[in-house]
Amino acid sequence: MADLDPRLLRAFVAVAEELSFSGAAKRVGLAQQTLSAQIRQLEARLDAKIFRRPTRRVALTPAGEALLPHARDVLAAVDAGLEAVRRSVADASNAIAVGGASEAGAIGEAILERFRRDFPEIAIAVSELLPPQALLEAGGGPPPAVAFVRPPFRGVNRFSTVTLLAEPRLATVPAGHALAARASVEPSELMGETWAWVGSPDRVAESFWLLEDHRYGRPPRIGGRPRDWAGLLGLVAAGRGVGLV
């Protein structure tokens, strides 16, 4: 899977909107040669051409057209995350605790990188020892805490949140399963299945991931409780249940 570095996506969006490498280079403050190298690097990661350059006029390819709205969404998420962090330290504190950064992946890394660049005087204490919501619960005193979390979870309404990325719940079923070739699945179609579930001490999160709001009071039939999401996929592949990821 291609690693869509936000730095490369920012170069791509600039060229796509300016339709000029020289204009885009001025916009992002890079030498044109550096900008062109970043576009080539992005095309190599995507294994697709995203611009046509038959003349001096630049144009998007179909692949570039498909990528553009998603690239804008990712960059908007990075900017929103940075603004959320900026607001969280509006009290001029010189330290901030951050949880869940590894869970947030490339977006979390990009937000922290920009924050460190823009606010070098503020120390960031990245914590992976506590679950992100537990860090927030403990963040009433200095340093203030911010965390990348996946709602819903118990007590989420007690915190101020900004949506960085929305992801669908995906049903995972064994190869050859009657639902495997389907583009989408209704919750009711999973009700009679045996489930694999990693478990959670948070009852709100567990209810969400087991679709209990769609079961009309029937408890899910759990066929295996792996320790992590990789283990869940292993159980599904072995035909021992279905799951949500």
Side-chain angles (χ1 to χ4, degrees):
M1 183 174 64
D3 179 9
L4 299 185
D5 186 336
R7 176 177 56 93
L8 304 182
L9 292 180
R10 201 172 295 280
F12 162 66
V13 170
V15 177
E17 292 179 347
E18 298 289 336
L19 294 180
S20 163
F21 276 80
S22 60
K26 292 177 182 178
R27 171 171 156 180
V28 298
L30 294 174
Q32 185 172 337
Q33 183 178 7
T34 301
L35 181 71
S36 297
Q38 289 184 349
I39 295 300
R40 289 194 298 272
Q41 185 180 354
L42 180 58
E43 288 180 326
R45 292 188 183 188
L46 294 170
D47 193 23
K49 291 293 183 182
I50 51 180
F51 290 110
R52 287 192 293 265
R53 311 172 182 86
T55 64
R56 295 174 64 87
R57 181 74 170 173
V58 177
L60 285 163
T61 65
E65 293 279 5
L67 176 62
L68 183 56
H70 301 289
R72 285 171 172 155
D73 287 346
V74 169
L75 295 177
V78 170
D79 291 340
L82 180 61
E83 178 59 27
V85 175
R86 181 180 286 116
R87 287 198 304 269
S88 74
V89 294
D91 60 356
S93 170
N94 64 354
I96 184 170
V98 178
S102 60
E103 179 81 1
I107 286 180
E109 292 174 5
I111 290 170
L112 292 181
E113 179 183 348
R114 279 195 56 189
F115 187 83
R116 289 187 178 102
R117 185 175 68 242
D118 293 351
F119 303 97
E121 72 282 6
I122 298 177
I124 297 179
V126 176
S127 172
E128 301 296 349
L129 297 178
L130 289 175
Q133 47 266 49
L135 180 68
L136 292 174
E137 292 278 7
V146 62
F148 299 95
V149 296
R150 291 178 181 270
F153 55 84
R154 186 174 57 247
V156 65
N157 294 331
R158 296 198 300 274
F159 307 110
S160 175
T161 60
V162 174
T163 300
L164 300 181
L165 184 67
E167 298 174 308
R169 282 177 288 187
L170 301 180
T172 176
V173 299
H177 190 282
L179 300 174
R182 297 275 297 279
S184 63
V185 176
E186 292 295 326
S188 60
E189 297 177 282
L190 298 171
M191 292 309 147
E193 300 284 348
T194 298
W195 285 62
W197 168 236
V198 296
S200 172
D202 189 314
R203 193 68 189 87
V204 173
E206 182 157 279
S207 177
F208 174 80
W209 284 103
L210 293 180
L211 298 177
E212 290 187 354
D213 53 328
H214 295 279
R215 290 182 177 272
Y216 308 104
R218 288 182 294 158
R221 185 169 67 248
I222 306 298
R225 287 188 176 271
R227 289 185 296 178
D228 52 33
W229 294 100
L232 183 149
L233 293 176
L235 286 178
V236 173
R240 294 176 57 189
V242 303
L244 288 188
V245 296

